[in-house]
C-alpha cells in the first residue's frame, strides 16, 4: 500500500490518482508553445508585408527603367528632327533629374546660342552618351553618330 494513490485501479479515499496530477512544467510548456506560435504568426505576417512592398518597389523600378530606356531611344531616334525631339527632350528632367550630369548637359543645350551648332551637337552627343550609360547601354556615342543618321531615299 505504498501511498501511490492507486491500488488495483481503484482510488483510495482522499488521494488523487497519479494520472490526474499535472505538474507546473506542463502548463509552462503550453504557454511557451502558445507564445512561440504567436511569434511565428507575427513574423510570418511581417515578412509577407515586407516581401510585398519589396516586390512592388522592384516592379516600379523595372517600369521606370523601361521608360527611361524608351526615352533614350527616342532621343537618339529623333536627334536630327527638332520637331519630334522636343517632346522626349522635355521629359529628360523628369526621368533623369536625379543625375547632375544629365541636367547640366540638358541646360547646356537649352542655353547654347541657336547659331552655335557645334556646341549644341557636342552637348547632345555627351547627353546621349550619358543617358545610354545610365540605362545600361554602351556609352560610345560619337559626334558623327549625332550629326548623321540613316535616311530612306527613293
Amino acid at each position: 500500500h505504498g501511498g501511490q494513490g492507486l491500488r488495483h485501479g481503484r482510488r483510495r479515499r482522499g488521494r488523487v490518482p497519479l494520472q490526474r496530477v499535472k505538474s507546473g512544467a506542463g502548463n509552462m510548456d503550453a504557454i511557451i508553445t502558445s507564445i512561440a506560435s504567436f511569434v511565428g504568426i507575427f513574423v510570418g505576417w511581417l515578412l509577407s508585408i515586407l516581401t510585398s512592398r519589396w516586390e512592388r518597389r522592384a516592379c516600379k523600378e523595372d517600369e521606370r527603367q523601361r521608360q527611361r530606356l524608351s526615352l533614350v531611344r527616342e532621343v537618339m531616334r529623333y536627334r536630327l528632327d527638332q520637331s519630334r525631339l522636343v517632346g522626349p527632350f522635355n521629359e529628360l528632367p523628369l526621368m533623369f533629374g536625379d543625375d547632375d550630369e544629365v541636367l547640366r548637359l540638358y541646360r547646356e543645350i537649352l542655353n547654347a546660342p541657336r547659331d552655335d551648332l557645334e556646341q549644341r551637337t557636342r552637348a547632345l552627343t555627351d547627353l546621349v552618351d550619358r543617358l545610354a550609360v545610365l540605362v545600361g547601354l554602351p556609352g560610345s556615342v560619337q559626334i558623327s553618330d549625332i550629326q548623321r543618321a540613316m535616311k530612306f531615299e527613293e
Side-chain angles (χ1 to χ4, degrees):
H1 312 118
Q4 295 269 332
L6 291 177
R7 185 173 186 209
H8 305 291
R10 285 185 271 150
R11 191 172 148 190
R12 291 179 88 182
R13 259 190 218 183
R15 296 207 172 161
V16 178
L18 285 177
Q19 289 88 2
R20 289 181 150 185
V21 175
K22 285 193 173 184
S23 68
N27 288 336
M28 186 58 84
D29 287 345
I31 291 171
I32 290 172
T33 301
S34 296
I35 290 172
S37 295
F38 176 75
V39 168
I41 290 169
F42 178 75
V43 168
W45 172 77
L46 187 60
L47 285 175
S48 70
I49 288 176
L50 292 175
T51 301
S52 175
R53 285 186 180 175
W54 178 80
E55 287 175 351
R56 276 186 291 203
R57 186 176 306 137
C59 285
K60 284 181 182 179
E61 188 60 35
D62 288 348
E63 178 60 25
R64 181 174 183 245
Q65 190 65 12
R66 277 192 293 280
Q67 290 173 348
R68 287 170 67 145
L69 177 59
S70 176
L71 183 59
V72 171
R73 292 176 67 209
E74 284 186 50
V75 168
M76 187 63 183
R77 184 178 302 129
Y78 302 131
R79 69 193 181 280
L80 297 177
D81 185 351
Q82 291 284 316
S83 63
R84 293 182 82 182
L85 179 62
V86 169
F89 188 77
N90 285 330
E91 288 183 39
L92 290 175
L94 179 65
M95 297 302 292
F96 292 93
D98 57 340
D99 188 84
D100 292 338
E101 184 66 9
V102 168
L103 293 176
R104 184 188 70 73
L105 292 167
Y106 170 81
R107 292 176 184 133
E108 185 177 326
I109 293 168
L110 287 178
N111 296 327
R114 291 237 177 251
D115 59 342
D116 193 349
L117 189 60
E118 184 179 332
Q119 180 184 353
R120 293 168 67 93
T121 302
R122 189 174 41 256
L124 183 58
T125 302
D126 292 344
L127 178 64
V128 170
D129 191 53
R130 178 67 184 159
L131 294 172
V133 169
L134 290 175
V135 297
L137 297 172
S140 56
V141 178
Q142 300 175 2
I143 288 182
S144 62
D145 299 331
I146 297 297
Q147 291 173 335
R148 291 183 298 229
M150 183 173 189
K151 293 185 180 184
F152 179 74
E153 293 182 24
E154 292 183 37

